[in-house]
Every structure is written in structure tokens, then in C-alpha cells.
Amino acid sequence: MSGKISLVGIGPGHHDHMTGRALAAIAEADVVVGYSTYIKLVADLLEGKEVIRKGMTEELDRAVNALECAREGKKVALISSGDAGVYGMAGPTYEVLFQAGWTPESEIAVEVVPGASAINACAALVGAPLTHDFCSISLSDLLTPWPVIARRLDAVAAADFVVALYNPKSGRRTQQIVQAQQLFLRHRRPDTPVAVVKSAYRRRERIEFTTLAHMSECDIGMLTTVLIGNSHTFVQHGLMVTPRGYANKYDLDDGGNTRSGEKPGRSLSTGLLGWMADLRADHAEGASAAALAAQHRLPVDYIEAVLAAPAEEESAAAAPLEEAQE
């Protein structure tokens, strides 16, 4: 008998924010497996279905149960809040499947049904904080060594990403958010905007705007996502916004006309080609590769490679006239 496992992301949990395919996958399922809190969020969709509830740390058990039911020819919806592939059940389930000898050609079909992750839900509630480069880091050290997490925090803080912190604090894990704050303060201003969002789009939703200096003082728990802005993020009229960078090319006070030295559809004068030209000029005037590396906070060997690149590589890089995104 052939069964099926649907790895369903239910988004924040409210039906309004679930995709049509997520609703259909649950409707089609004979069995629904999930963490008990997530089961409660979709309880009104489960009438007449076999329901398997599991605890917080029983992810592998959920995957094993789903596989066992699928082997019996049943259609299984294994649910995750947010997106099943973002700190969700997709990864553990594939690990269990591979360990059991499953392949995509096997009689058990597997579908990943995407959903809105917490980073999307929380960002929508507070404004537009993710308009420029961003990343997410989980502070849970239940499965990841803390030095690995700390190195990632330090790297993204220095790189000026907007950062979403998942699993920031629990009853027993209280110092991780403090350590994260300390690492960020090494690279970011104390007044960097921070949004703390608890239970986005759920009954106990709570939003608090604060700063990096006071972030760890907020009411933070396992149902909280912490959004840390970059050096350009601002809060105005109760909305957190990260500029995309249009002001670098266009004069927003002059009808959006292109700034002097810039061209629509072309890289910034401080983009790759302009920067390479400036780098070569500074080097020709006597600046060492080490000094240039320190100035731009980049590895010395990278600066040396850029300086050593033949001029024709720059011409080839200049060929496309339009950028993929403005």
C-alpha cells in the first residue's frame, strides 16, 4: 500500500494565514501528527481524523510515527508552525526517511507544503524590517554547540544584517539572549532598533519596540521572535523600517531623480566596478593591501586577489546593463 507524508507549514496558526494547499493537505489527511500546541491551533480542522500529539522535544518520534502511518497506506499531515523547512519538521523527517532507506522513487510520497515563517509574520506586524539583507539564528543550544551559535552571532552582527533570533529564551535557557546582546553590542550602536514579538497573530500576541541596549530586559520566551535592525533601520510612527538603499542612487527630495554620478539600471558608483577602480587608485598611490583590507574590513588575501585581477575581468563584469533588482 502506498501512503503519503505531507510536511505542512501552518504559518502563525490562524486560518487566514494558511495557504490553500496547507488547508487541503490537512483536509486530505487520514492522520495528523504534531506538537500538541500546534494541534490546538488547527483543532477545528481535525474532526474525524486520527490525531497523534507529541511533546516539545519529540521531533524524531513525530517523524517515525508519520512514517509508520504512511507505511500502512495512510495519508499523513505532519504539521509545523511557520514553515516546515525553517526550524521545522521537514529536516528531521527526511533524516528519518533516509535512515529507513526511503528514496523519492519509493512508494511513500513526500510533499513539503510551505508556510509563512515566524520571521515573515513578525515582520508584517511591525512594519518592513526585512527590506534589505537579513538572516535568522536560533539561540537554542539543545542541539547546536554554543560556540557555533556565538560565532554566527558575531559574524552577522559585524556584517550589518537585520537578524531574527528564534528560540531566544526558555525557562531554563535564560542567558543565551544576554550573550547575544553582548556580542551584538560589540558591533552595533546601543540605540539600534529592536522589535520583540510574542505569539504573532495568536490570541496572546504582544509587540514591544526597544533598543539593543535594553533588549534582554523585555518579556521574552519560547513563543517570541526578536528582530534586530541594521545600522540604517529606524522606527517611525510605531513602524520598524529598513531602507532598501534607494537614497544611495536617487535624490528622494528631488522627485526621485538620479544622483550625480549614478545611472539608472547600472551598479552604484560605489558598486563592485567603482570600488575596484578606487581600490586600484589607492593602491597605486601607496596604500598597502593590508591597509586597504583594514579600511574596508575585508580579508587581506581577498584584497590582494582583487588588485591582481586583470582588467578584462572588470570589463566582462560590466557587460550586463541592467541589474536584477533595483
Side-chain angles (χ1 to χ4, degrees):
M1 299 176 65
S2 59
K4 180 178 180 179
I5 299 175
S6 296
L7 297 155
V8 183
I10 63 172
H14 194 282
H15 298 177
D16 289 348
H17 300 106
M18 291 174 65
T19 67
R21 179 61 199 138
L23 291 166
I26 293 174
E28 296 165 3
D30 304 304
V31 183
V32 177
V33 183
Y35 173 45
S36 55
T37 297
Y38 306 155
I39 292 291
K40 290 178 183 178
L41 292 174
V42 295
D44 57 330
L45 303 176
L46 307 182
E47 184 177 353
K49 301 183 184 299
E50 179 183 352
V51 178
I52 299 177
R53 297 173 174 82
K54 290 291 180 178
M56 173 66 76
T57 60
E58 298 178 312
E59 291 85 0
L60 294 180
D61 286 344
R62 292 178 226 168
V64 170
N65 287 152
L67 176 57
E68 290 173 346
C69 292
R71 280 174 169 166
E72 296 172 3
K74 297 177 181 178
K75 293 181 179 179
V76 184
L78 177 48
I79 64 173
S80 295
S81 67
D83 183 277
V86 181
Y87 305 116
M89 285 302 303
T93 301
Y94 275 123
E95 290 184 60
V96 167
L97 287 168
F98 293 149
Q99 186 68 28
W102 176 89
T103 70
E105 291 73 36
S106 299
E107 60 182 10
I108 295 175
V110 177
E111 177 188 8
V112 179
V113 180
S117 181
I119 190 173
N120 305 113
C122 295
L125 286 171
V126 303
L130 308 180
T131 311
H132 215 303
D133 298 335
F134 62 90
C135 70
S136 62
I137 296 178
S138 171
L139 297 191
S140 174
D141 55 6
L142 297 179
L143 300 173
T144 306
W146 179 254
V148 173
I149 299 172
R151 285 194 295 271
R152 292 171 179 170
L153 290 167
D154 186 65
V156 299
D160 205 28
F161 282 98
V162 174
V163 180
L165 299 180
Y166 281 66
N167 307 312
K169 190 176 181 180
S170 69
R172 289 180 292 183
R173 294 186 303 101
T174 60
Q175 288 303 302
Q176 284 79 356
I177 188 66
V178 176
Q179 295 291 318
Q181 179 186 39
Q182 292 174 0
L183 286 164
F184 267 81
L185 284 170
R186 295 182 64 249
H187 305 283
R188 307 275 179 99
R189 299 190 317 270
D191 63 349
T192 298
V194 173
V196 178
V197 184
K198 181 178 181 180
S199 299
Y201 292 102
R202 298 181 188 174
R203 184 167 56 88
R204 296 182 180 179
E205 175 185 291
R206 185 174 185 273
I207 300 170
E208 183 176 358
F209 289 100
T210 185
T211 63
L212 186 58
H214 299 286
M215 177 178 77
S216 62
E217 302 167 15
C218 297
D219 179 16
I220 297 174
M222 279 297 292
L223 300 178
T224 303
T225 301
V226 178
L227 298 174
I228 303 174
N230 68 14
S231 59
H232 299 285
T233 304
F234 62 90
V235 174
Q236 187 169 333
H237 302 303
L239 296 170
M240 184 178 183
V241 177
T242 301
R244 176 69 176 88
Y246 289 100
N248 293 328
K249 181 176 287 189
Y250 303 100
D251 189 342
L252 303 183
D253 294 326
D254 186 28
N257 292 318
T258 308
R259 292 185 180 278
S260 176
E262 305 295 346
K263 296 180 180 179
R266 300 296 295 268
S267 296
L268 284 172
S269 57
T270 53
L272 175 60
L273 299 182
W275 175 73
M276 290 176 72
D278 290 343
L279 196 73
R280 292 178 187 279
D282 291 343
H283 185 59
E285 292 177 4
S288 67
L292 292 169
Q295 175 186 340
H296 296 286
R297 292 184 293 173
L298 289 167
V300 176
D301 57 348
Y302 172 67
I303 295 295
E304 291 173 341
V306 171
L307 292 171
E312 51 264 33
E313 289 190 13
E314 296 182 30
S315 299
L321 294 181
E322 296 185 0
E323 297 172 340
Q325 285 184 320
E326 268 297 310

